Amino acid sequence: FHFIMMKPEILKITQISPDQSVVCIIGKAEIPEMLKLTKTEKEYALGQLKADEEYVFINSYFKCTYIVKVKDEKSHFRTREELRKTASGLKKLIKSNNHSELVITSYKAYKEAVEDFTEGLILGMYVFDKYKTKTDKADEKKSYPSKLLLLDGITKAEVKWLTDLTDAVYFTRDLINEPVNVLNAGALASEVEKIGRKGGFKVDVLRKGKIEALKMGGLLAVNKGSVDPPVFCILEWNPANKLNKKPIVLVGKGIVYDTGGLNIKTDNYMALMKGDMAGAAAVTGVFYTAAKNKIPLHIMGFLPVTDNRPGGNAYTQGDILTMHNGMTVEIGNTDAEGRLILADAISYASRYKPELIINIATLTGSAASTFSNQAIAMMTNADRKYISLLEECGHNVHERVAELPFWDDYAEMIKSEFADVRNIGGREAGAITAGKFLEKFTAFPLIHLDIAGTGLLKKDDHYRLKDGPASGLRLLAAFLKKYAENYNKLN
């Protein structure tokens, strides 16, 4: 796995030596004795802090000290996010000092400060450079620390969670960044199988013959313009100590490249489309994190995977498809392909009688236009206990969800003259009508997450890098962890 070679090891330590370079996160403008600064260095640091500097850097020649003051925001959620952003902003300075290892500790700061800083730093450090044959010689001599040593009240379980979660984000970003000439549908399935073996969860891959036998008309139609066959990945984490009797299902959109099909994308709308499988990648990362941390929940994942091209016998506007559950769909636009493959996956998942289905996809320009990169668009008919927990976790990891109405009136907009339903409505309420389309393919509670705005970025958003931010992974991993911890109370 490419990411493990470049990502620093996270270790818990119990003491610091005088010659170690340290990041100290402070809650008050005081300099702790453990930093072993000289009187002059202390006076300088206090002066900078009183001048409201975000951080103070002191080079003592034999060690470096970074003093980071916590920003006291109106909400604790915001305070945590600002620290992650500060950490990401410090990555260039940290790299320039070429530490082999770096201690991260805190003094009179909030409980999760060391975790948050470490997470922001690691996620900000990610690069996808495997295809670069030439590098900047000056930059080549500098590197990020190979070890981050956490000195605080952090537990071994918290260190493990942080390690596995950031591993999962790196893996997911690598998938999103791979071009389709390397990562076609079959190659993506192969990577999911590999990470399943590494993480300890089960992966079954259904090939084209089985997909045809299952009559997945949506997945097969979208694939008709491609020379590469589709795949359908089934993921399962089913521990012996599971709390739930019915599985929680995650469904991720796996369009490895989206040209729009015969309704071909214009201008630069195709530029980011190697990342149109970000939902499938995120689901895979969530399974890795859940399995590695042995979350006591039965979880199943379904990833329909293909590219969407205008070649061969590509499906057309006006085609009528018969889906896996027997419903018929009139095609109003071949660029509304994601919902077709997801509908087959959702109806297939329904055979397992799930407690809840959570679908995640880079689905509509409408969601991106509505919320930009600030929120994941959410539509749901599920019990509010799930939504409240998802919203709380969204604030905690700053992958916030914003709910759109899911009224039945919107279903009127995708009625078809010729079939049971049409795959697109008008220009208005595009994100909602896409959600209403998916809702038709299951009788079980559904949460639909549209990450079109947050999952494909045109520029870096602090530690959420344009090179595949892995949107939704941290949110869903936190949700499952929190749901397991509160299972008896919530049920």
Side-chain angles (χ1 to χ4, degrees), residues 9 13 22 30 46 55 64 101 114 171 212 264 284 302 318 335 357 363 365 368 376 473 476 478 487 490:
E9 188 178 4
I13 61 170
V22 182
E30 298 174 17
L46 283 169
Y55 67 88
C64 293
E101 57 184 38
V114 168
F171 170 79
E212 288 173 334
I264 199 157
T284 307
F302 301 91
D335 196 21
I357 299 173
L363 206 63
I376 296 169
L473 191 167
L476 292 178
Y487 188 82
L490 291 167

Side-chain angles (χ1 to χ4, degrees), residues 289-359:
T289 309
K292 289 287 280 185
N293 287 269
K294 297 185 168 25
I295 289 178
L297 292 173
H298 183 197
I299 311 164
M300 298 198 71
F302 301 91
L303 314 177
V305 186
T306 180
D307 50 340
N308 181 28
R309 304 226 190 200
N313 195 25
Y315 80 125
T316 73
Q317 274 184 278
D319 280 359
I320 295 179
L321 315 179
T322 301
M323 307 292 282
H324 170 68
N325 69 346
M327 281 181 64
T328 56
V329 176
E330 178 194 357
I331 301 304
N333 191 305
T334 64
D335 196 21
E337 85 298 331
R339 65 202 69 182
L340 296 173
I341 69 170
L342 292 169
D344 275 340
I346 287 168
S347 59
Y348 181 86
S350 298
R351 64 173 60 193
Y352 295 92
K353 297 181 169 49
E355 174 185 336
L356 174 69
I357 299 173
I358 304 176
N359 163 71

Side-chain angles (χ1 to χ4, degrees), residues 407-415 421 432-433 436-437 439-440:
W407 305 321
D408 286 341
D409 310 63
Y410 287 107
E412 297 293 315
M413 299 170 71
I414 50 172
K415 278 191 169 178
V421 66
I432 300 172
T433 54
K436 292 305 285 185
F437 179 87
E439 186 187 35
K440 288 182 177 293

